[in-house]
Amino acid sequence: GNLGRNLYYSLQLLQDEKYKPLAVVSVMRCLNTLYSKQKEHKLGLAVDAESKYYPEDYNLLLRLLTRVRLDEIAALSYHFGLSYQSAMKNNEDFEKELATAKKLLNQ
């Protein structure tokens, strides 16, 4: 239920080739869901607030998520997906998230 933390850990998983397909789908799913939450004005319910008890890099991500605009989230998700499109061929979950991102970008 915590999209900020899920995105944070998914981005870390991108560094490990073994988990890259899972991480790519997870990042896109998080970004697409963040778009929906932001559009519904419910982002604060899905993302932690910054805290001195969190690591600095997690706080930076949280700060970004609270400041990014709706159209920027859509563009980020879509272009992130495009950068992995050739590596993720025949992955149904990826294709679904990419199609969602494209739809959000064109809204």
Side-chain angles (χ1 to χ4, degrees):
N2 187 325
L3 292 172
R5 191 166 297 159
N6 191 346
L7 180 58
Y8 177 73
Y9 289 126
S10 296
L11 289 169
Q12 289 181 334
L13 276 178
L14 276 175
Q15 308 306 312
D16 190 337
E17 286 298 320
K18 180 169 68 171
Y19 298 110
K20 193 164 279 198
L22 170 68
V24 168
V25 172
S26 184
V27 168
M28 290 191 66
R29 187 171 291 140
C30 285
L31 291 171
N32 290 340
T33 305
L34 283 166
Y35 178 95
S36 300
K37 295 292 183 185
Q38 178 78 324
K39 189 170 184 176
E40 297 167 357
H41 302 285
K42 295 183 179 180
L43 185 62
L45 300 173
V47 175
D48 286 330
E50 289 183 61
S51 169
K52 65 181 180 179
Y53 301 107
Y54 295 146
E56 184 178 346
D57 55 349
Y58 182 52
N59 276 327
L60 287 172
L61 176 64
L62 294 174
R63 190 173 310 140
L64 170 90
L65 295 177
T66 59
R67 295 179 180 177
V68 69
R69 295 186 328 230
L70 199 58
D71 60 325
E72 293 171 332
I73 297 171
L76 183 60
S77 180
Y78 180 69
H79 292 287
F80 176 84
L82 283 182
S83 70
Y84 286 99
Q85 193 170 24
S86 62
M88 298 293 289
K89 285 183 180 175
N90 302 321
N91 185 312
E92 291 179 26
D93 292 329
F94 171 80
E95 294 297 332
K96 177 183 168 194
E97 294 303 328
L98 185 59
T100 300
K102 185 175 182 178
K103 181 178 146 187
L104 297 176
L105 187 62
N106 292 323
Q107 286 187 356

